[in-house]
Amino acid sequence: SNCHNPEFGFYIRSPYEKLNAQELGDQQKALLTMENYRATFFMLLSLVCFVGEQASAAQHAVGGSQGWDESTDFSSWASAQKFKVGDQLVFKYSSGLHSVVELGSESAYKSCDLGSSLDSMSTGNDVVKLGKPGTRFFACGTAGHCGQGMKVKITVDSGSAASTPASPSTSSSSSSSSSDAVHSVVGSIVLLVGVLSLSLLMPQLV
């Protein structure tokens, strides 16, 4: 039964009383809205994790400002870098003049044995992802260039933390601007997640 107290002027609905159609519809809409908020929240949270993972990786322009060229001292450049799993190598050069060949062993690297190559690239803007720890060997596929020193040995450390070059002068401006852009996106998403979290809490506080 319903309880109505005329002295205090309030009405208490019996727990057994059925909701009318409008009240039931309002409750369903509220529940649906809350579910949409929660779904959006978790989607944004997943996006933050994904972008954060991408932000932790670094791009290394091979050869620094000189790029993939015969005049570059690749041994000095590589020794000034720290390569982590998830980082990327970017080979920038004039397509048709040079190419990039990945060699399968250190002996092939030392002897410039291009016949044992694992992969060959020639776009002029080749990107290689460092997917696991270990040492990888790259050389120019143009005849005679490897023998002139156009080759590089990359040692990848375990772990996926952001790579920090030992010498600021060897880092590329494109890598820096890319990292700044990614961190800006992360900041915006974090702000959105914070606003959405507050909006989820408000109905419970009112």
Side-chain angles (χ1 to χ4, degrees), residues 20-85:
N20 60 45
Q22 181 178 356
E23 290 174 323
L24 186 60
D26 290 342
Q27 284 195 3
Q28 289 176 337
K29 287 179 181 179
L31 288 173
L32 183 59
T33 300
M34 289 296 292
E35 288 301 320
N36 287 338
Y37 274 137
R38 289 191 180 96
T40 305
F41 172 77
F42 287 114
M43 180 180 69
L44 287 174
L45 189 60
S46 299
L47 185 58
V48 168
C49 294
F50 172 76
V51 175
E53 182 180 350
Q54 298 302 311
S56 70
Q59 278 195 341
H60 302 270
V62 179
S65 59
Q66 291 180 284
W68 187 236
D69 188 79
E70 299 128 298
S71 62
T72 305
D73 185 350
F74 292 104
S75 179
S76 297
W77 173 81
S79 64
Q81 310 294 311
K82 289 185 178 180
F83 304 102
K84 298 288 186 180
V85 174

Side-chain angles (χ1 to χ4, degrees), residues 58-198:
Q59 278 195 341
H60 302 270
V62 179
S65 59
Q66 291 180 284
W68 187 236
D69 188 79
E70 299 128 298
S71 62
T72 305
D73 185 350
F74 292 104
S75 179
S76 297
W77 173 81
S79 64
Q81 310 294 311
K82 289 185 178 180
F83 304 102
K84 298 288 186 180
V85 174
D87 288 357
Q88 293 180 333
L89 301 177
V90 182
F91 294 85
K92 294 185 178 182
Y93 56 92
S94 298
S95 181
L97 181 61
H98 302 299
S99 65
V100 179
V101 174
E102 182 170 5
L103 304 176
S105 66
E106 187 162 11
S107 60
Y109 171 77
K110 289 180 177 179
S111 63
C112 289
D113 180 9
L114 305 181
S116 63
S117 63
L118 302 176
D119 193 15
S120 180
M121 298 161 282
S122 57
T123 66
N125 188 34
D126 304 319
V127 178
V128 176
K129 185 175 181 179
L130 304 176
K132 60 182 180 180
T135 303
R136 298 175 70 171
F137 308 94
F138 300 91
C140 179
T142 303
H145 287 192
C146 177
Q148 296 173 15
M150 198 170 172
K151 57 183 179 179
V152 64
K153 179 169 69 172
I154 304 295
T155 301
V156 184
D157 296 330
S158 59
S160 57
S163 299
T164 305
S167 173
S169 62
T170 60
S171 62
S172 67
S173 58
S174 61
S175 174
S176 176
S177 60
S178 175
S179 178
D180 291 343
V182 170
H183 282 91
S184 176
V185 172
V186 172
S188 300
I189 295 176
V190 169
L191 179 61
L192 284 173
V193 170
V195 172
L196 187 59
S197 299
L198 183 61

